[in-house]
Coordinates of all heavy atoms in Angstrom, one line a residue:
Chain A
L33 N -1.8 -4.5 7.6 CA -1.9 -3.6 6.5 C -3.4 -3.6 6.0 O -4.1 -4.6 6.0 CB -1.0 -4.0 5.4 CG 0.5 -3.9 5.6 CD1 1.3 -4.7 4.7 CD2 0.9 -2.4 5.6
F34 N -3.8 -2.4 5.6 CA -5.2 -2.2 5.1 C -5.2 -1.4 3.9 O -4.3 -0.6 3.6 CB -6.0 -1.5 6.2 CG -5.9 -2.1 7.6 CD1 -4.8 -1.8 8.4 CD2 -6.9 -2.8 8.1 CE1 -4.7 -2.3 9.7 CE2 -6.9 -3.3 9.4 CZ -5.7 -3.1 10.2
W35 N -6.3 -1.6 3.1 CA -6.6 -0.6 2.1 C -8.0 -0.1 2.4 O -9.0 -0.9 2.6 CB -6.6 -1.3 0.7 CG -5.3 -1.3 0.0 CD1 -4.4 -2.4 0.0 CD2 -4.6 -0.3 -0.7 NE1 -3.3 -2.1 -0.7 CE2 -3.4 -0.8 -1.1 CE3 -5.0 1.0 -1.1 CZ2 -2.5 -0.1 -1.9 CZ3 -4.1 1.7 -1.8 CH2 -2.8 1.2 -2.2
Y36 N -8.2 1.2 2.4 CA -9.5 1.9 2.5 C -9.7 2.7 1.3 O -8.8 3.2 0.6 CB -9.4 2.9 3.7 CG -9.6 2.2 5.1 CD1 -8.5 1.6 5.8 CD2 -10.9 2.2 5.7 CE1 -8.7 1.1 7.0 CE2 -11.0 1.6 7.0 CZ -9.9 1.1 7.6 OH -10.1 0.5 8.9
V37 N -11.0 2.9 1.0 CA -11.5 3.7 -0.1 C -12.3 4.9 0.4 O -13.1 4.7 1.4 CB -12.3 2.9 -1.1 CG1 -13.5 2.3 -0.5 CG2 -12.6 3.7 -2.4
Q38 N -12.1 6.0 -0.2 CA -12.9 7.2 0.2 C -13.6 7.8 -1.1 O -12.9 8.4 -1.9 CB -12.0 8.2 0.8 CG -12.7 9.4 1.4 CD -11.8 10.4 2.2 OE1 -10.7 10.6 1.8 NE2 -12.3 10.9 3.3
H39 N -14.9 7.6 -1.1 CA -15.6 8.3 -2.2 C -16.0 9.7 -1.8 O -16.1 10.0 -0.6 CB -16.9 7.5 -2.5 CG -16.6 6.2 -3.2 ND1 -16.5 6.0 -4.5 CD2 -16.5 4.9 -2.6 CE1 -16.2 4.8 -4.8 NE2 -16.2 4.1 -3.7
P40 N -16.1 10.6 -2.7 CA -16.5 12.0 -2.4 C -17.7 12.1 -1.5 O -18.7 11.4 -1.7 CB -16.7 12.6 -3.8 CG -16.0 11.8 -4.7 CD -16.0 10.4 -4.2
N41 N -17.5 12.9 -0.4 CA -18.6 13.1 0.5 C -19.1 11.9 1.2 O -20.3 11.8 1.7 CB -19.8 13.8 -0.2 CG -19.3 15.1 -0.8 OD1 -18.6 15.9 -0.2 ND2 -19.8 15.4 -2.0
K42 N -18.3 10.8 1.3 CA -18.6 9.6 2.0 C -17.5 9.3 2.9 O -16.4 9.7 2.8 CB -18.9 8.5 1.0 CG -20.1 8.6 0.2 CD -20.5 7.4 -0.6 CE -21.7 7.5 -1.4 NZ -22.1 6.3 -2.1
G43 N -17.8 8.5 3.9 CA -16.8 8.0 4.9 C -15.9 7.0 4.3 O -16.1 6.4 3.3
L44 N -14.8 6.8 5.0 CA -13.8 5.8 4.6 C -14.4 4.4 4.8 O -15.0 4.1 5.8 CB -12.5 6.0 5.4 CG -11.6 7.1 5.0 CD1 -10.8 7.6 6.2 CD2 -10.7 6.7 3.9
Q45 N -14.1 3.6 3.8 CA -14.6 2.2 3.9 C -13.5 1.2 3.7 O -12.6 1.4 2.8 CB -15.7 2.0 2.8 CG -16.3 0.6 2.8 CD -17.3 0.4 1.6 OE1 -17.2 1.1 0.6 NE2 -18.2 -0.6 1.8
L46 N -13.5 0.2 4.5 CA -12.4 -0.8 4.4 C -12.6 -1.7 3.2 O -13.7 -2.2 3.0 CB -12.4 -1.7 5.7 CG -11.4 -2.8 5.7 CD1 -10.0 -2.3 5.9 CD2 -11.7 -3.8 6.8
L47 N -11.6 -1.8 2.4 CA -11.6 -2.7 1.2 C -11.1 -4.1 1.6 O -11.7 -5.1 1.3 CB -10.7 -2.2 0.1 CG -11.3 -1.1 -0.7 CD1 -10.2 -0.6 -1.7 CD2 -12.5 -1.5 -1.5
L48 N -10.0 -4.2 2.3 CA -9.4 -5.4 2.7 C -8.3 -5.2 3.8 O -7.9 -4.1 4.0 CB -8.8 -6.2 1.5 CG -7.9 -5.4 0.6 CD1 -6.5 -5.3 1.1 CD2 -7.9 -6.1 -0.8

Side-chain angles (χ1 to χ4, degrees):
Chain A
L33 293 163
F34 310 78
W35 277 98
Y36 280 83
V37 62
Q38 187 175 39
H39 290 274
N41 302 316
K42 292 189 177 180
L44 285 153
Q45 180 184 22
L46 180 70
L47 284 176
L48 48 82

